[in-house]
Amino acid sequence: MRDPKLPKQRRASHAHHLADKLRKHSTWLLLLWFALSVYLFLSATPPPAAPPLRPAFLLPSTPRAARIYVYDLPARFNRDWLAADPRCARHLFAAEVALHQALLGYHARAARPEDADLFFVPVYVSCNFSTANGFPSLSHARGLLADAVDLVRAQMPYWNRSGGADHVFVASHDFGACFHPMEDVAIADGIPEFLKRSILLQTFGVQGTHVCQEVDHVVIPPHVPPEVTFELPEPEKAQRDIFAFFRGKMEVHPKNISGRFYSKKVRTELLQNYGRNRKFYLKRKRYGNYRSEMARSLFCLCPLGWAPWSPRLVESVLLGCIPVIIADNIRLPFPSVLQWSDISLQVAEKDVASLEMVLDHVVATNLTVIQKNLWDPVKRKALVFNRPMQEGDATWQVLRELEILLDRSQRRYAGPWRS
């Protein structure tokens, strides 16, 4: 006869054996559970945000950096001009000299042309500017540039590879790439055919289309000696006892021997409307220390001359005097950094008669805000061509603009860059 207690004993023995087995493996099960939990947690957590990219040209060790090769041209294209007249490196057109010298010391400059993305062609065409009629003498410019291009084309293959599309020139005078100081003649002459695929760094810039802008270009500031930044008190410490300032050419009868109206009569209208107004400090005679007058002024008038731009734009910013730009459709340098609408005023040429009312309104409303924006040292630095180049200065900004052009062109064209 079977014992009825045996199945119960067997079940108890089996349960005891299973519990003992689970105790032996509990440590491994806990480790497995922990590892699985960590894996699931990490999989669900988004990766940390990548730091913002800096402009590629600031990272010369990376493949994306814009590497610039500076041609070593014979002295007759540049150094001889500077030796003949030292003012060539200091006057308002001297950006061509300053950029060349700054790029020679640029730490990311390509030592070998085969490593370069861009090629800088240092030809000084604006050095011979003191002539009997007061205009820069640019009659030699096209011939000198053509000779430089012929030399570059004959000695190295890089111009021919792209048709000059990756070559950079400076045109720092009135109507830039057209290489003539008078607009009607500049338009008639147009841009030299051999430069139409190249990149021009030019002080001339207007909104909309213009014959002298029909080429890839970067608008640069006119040259002002860097020491202007340091020779007078910091802008926020200056005593400003002049309301509105202008010193320069103001003709009673603006139609000169060329038959053209200087400044489109704007400067003449300034003299006629405000010459006897004690709030306006208007002077027609030259004065070597005129920057000390700018440093004492709330507003510095920057009317057009033959061309829309003027070195007064840069001098005003450096000295903390609010630029009052009277030049319709002007395009100003480095707008993403300088944000001109926050640091200057623009008055239409036709509204010169209302200028006093405009300035009075600013004083009554947002003068302090504009001055605070204007006195930011970052903005002053962006307009100065230092030698050697400094981060954030005008040459640095030019390189940034060239990097943008380079990137845009690489996206636009397939194959070799702009081939």
Side-chain angles (χ1 to χ4, degrees):
M1 186 175 175
R2 296 176 61 191
D3 187 351
K5 295 181 180 179
L6 282 177
K8 290 183 179 181
Q9 290 173 348
R10 286 176 183 165
R11 284 198 298 271
S13 176
H14 179 70
H16 180 76
H17 178 70
L18 183 62
D20 187 61
K21 205 170 185 180
L22 286 172
R23 278 194 297 270
K24 287 180 181 178
H25 294 285
S26 62
T27 303
W28 294 108
L29 288 170
L30 284 170
L31 287 173
L32 180 62
W33 175 83
F34 178 77
L36 184 62
S37 300
V38 170
Y39 171 78
L40 292 173
F41 174 79
L42 292 176
S43 300
T45 304
L53 291 174
R54 299 180 70 192
F57 70 84
L58 293 180
L59 305 172
S61 61
T62 67
R64 293 182 59 246
R67 294 154 298 181
I68 299 180
Y69 180 78
V70 181
Y71 282 108
D72 184 15
L73 298 180
R76 65 186 179 90
F77 291 103
N78 40 60
R79 296 184 298 277
D80 284 352
W81 292 95
L82 187 56
D85 188 349
R87 291 178 302 167
C88 178
R90 297 185 59 78
H91 61 63
L92 71 164
F93 306 122
E96 60 185 7
V97 180
L99 276 161
H100 181 204
Q101 294 179 347
L103 289 176
L104 285 175
Y106 176 41
H107 69 279
R109 177 167 66 98
R112 304 185 308 165
E114 56 266 33
D115 297 331
D117 300 301
L118 295 169
F119 299 82
F120 185 77
V121 189
V123 183
Y124 301 169
V125 301
S126 300
C127 283
N128 185 22
F129 73 102
S130 295
T131 58
N133 62 11
F135 299 143
S137 176
L138 294 171
S139 58
H140 64 294
R142 290 171 183 259
L144 194 64
L145 286 162
D147 287 349
V149 169
D150 286 344
L151 186 67
V152 164
R153 182 188 286 133
Q155 292 188 354
M156 291 186 181
Y158 306 101
W159 178 281
N160 300 325
R161 182 180 67 181
S162 67
D166 47 9
H167 283 57
V168 181
F169 298 81
V170 181
S172 56
H173 44 274
D174 283 1
F175 293 98
C178 289
F179 297 97
H180 199 281
M182 301 304 298
E183 186 171 21
D184 54 348
V185 181
I187 290 173
D189 289 348
I191 299 169
E193 193 66 33
F194 58 88
L195 291 182
K196 286 189 175 178
R197 282 176 59 84
S198 298
I199 301 171
L200 275 292
L201 310 179
Q202 53 184 33
T203 44
F204 173 67
V206 291
Q207 304 291 340
T209 59
H210 193 285
V211 169
C212 302
Q213 289 187 162
E214 292 175 353
V215 62
D216 273 350
H217 63 279
V218 174
V219 177
I220 64 174
H223 181 267
V224 170
E227 59 267 24
V228 171
T229 309
F230 309 107
E231 66 187 12
L232 291 165
E234 294 177 357
E236 60 272 21
K237 297 177 181 177
Q239 181 68 36
R240 301 194 180 271
D241 57 346
I242 298 173
F243 181 74
F245 170 79
F246 178 79
R247 182 183 286 277
K249 191 174 184 179
M250 291 181 289
E251 297 173 320
V252 178
H253 305 289
K255 195 170 184 177
N256 73 356
I257 55 172
S258 68
R260 303 172 181 89
F261 285 104
Y262 183 68
S263 188
K264 297 182 183 178
K265 298 185 182 180
V266 166
R267 297 192 187 189
T268 298
E269 291 181 20
L270 283 172
L271 185 62
Q272 290 171 344
N273 282 281
Y274 305 107
R276 297 180 181 277
N277 187 325
R278 298 185 68 178
K279 291 169 68 177
F280 285 74
Y281 190 86
L282 307 180
K283 301 295 179 181
R284 298 170 63 193
K285 293 184 178 180
R286 293 179 180 273
Y287 171 52
N289 200 26
Y290 72 95
R291 292 190 188 111
S292 64
E293 297 171 321
M294 298 181 82
R296 293 167 49 200
S297 304
L298 281 178
F299 301 101
C300 288
L301 309 185
C302 303
L304 73 163
W306 290 115
W309 63 272
S310 162
R312 291 177 183 83
L313 288 168
V314 176
E315 291 169 325
S316 299
V317 175
L318 297 185
L319 298 170
C321 179
I322 298 173
V324 182
I325 302 165
I326 311 173
D328 292 354
N329 300 318
I330 188 172
R331 189 153 62 91
L332 297 161
F334 315 141
S336 62
V337 175
L338 291 166
Q339 299 165 337
W340 288 93
S341 60
D342 294 338
I343 64 172
S344 66
L345 305 176
Q346 287 197 257
V347 176
E349 294 165 14
K350 64 179 179 59
D351 293 334
V352 168
S354 306
L355 179 60
E356 182 178 8
M357 183 175 64
V358 171
L359 300 185
D360 283 340
H361 177 73
V362 170
V363 171
T365 55
N366 60 338
L367 175 66
T368 304
V369 173
I370 297 175
Q371 285 180 326
K372 183 179 179 181
N373 294 332
L374 178 64
W375 294 347
D376 179 359
V378 170
K379 294 176 172 55
R380 297 203 298 275
K381 191 172 189 179
L383 290 172
V384 174
F385 293 98
N386 291 300
R387 290 168 262 187
M389 180 180 73
Q390 298 175 15
E391 183 171 344
D393 74 1
T395 305
W396 192 95
Q397 302 296 342
V398 167
L399 290 171
R400 179 175 178 272
E401 297 288 334
L402 287 173
E403 183 71 24
I404 293 169
L405 270 181
L406 178 62
D407 183 58
R408 188 185 306 152
S409 298
Q410 286 174 327
R411 290 198 305 267
R412 189 188 311 151
Y413 297 94
W417 187 71
R418 301 179 69 182
S419 60

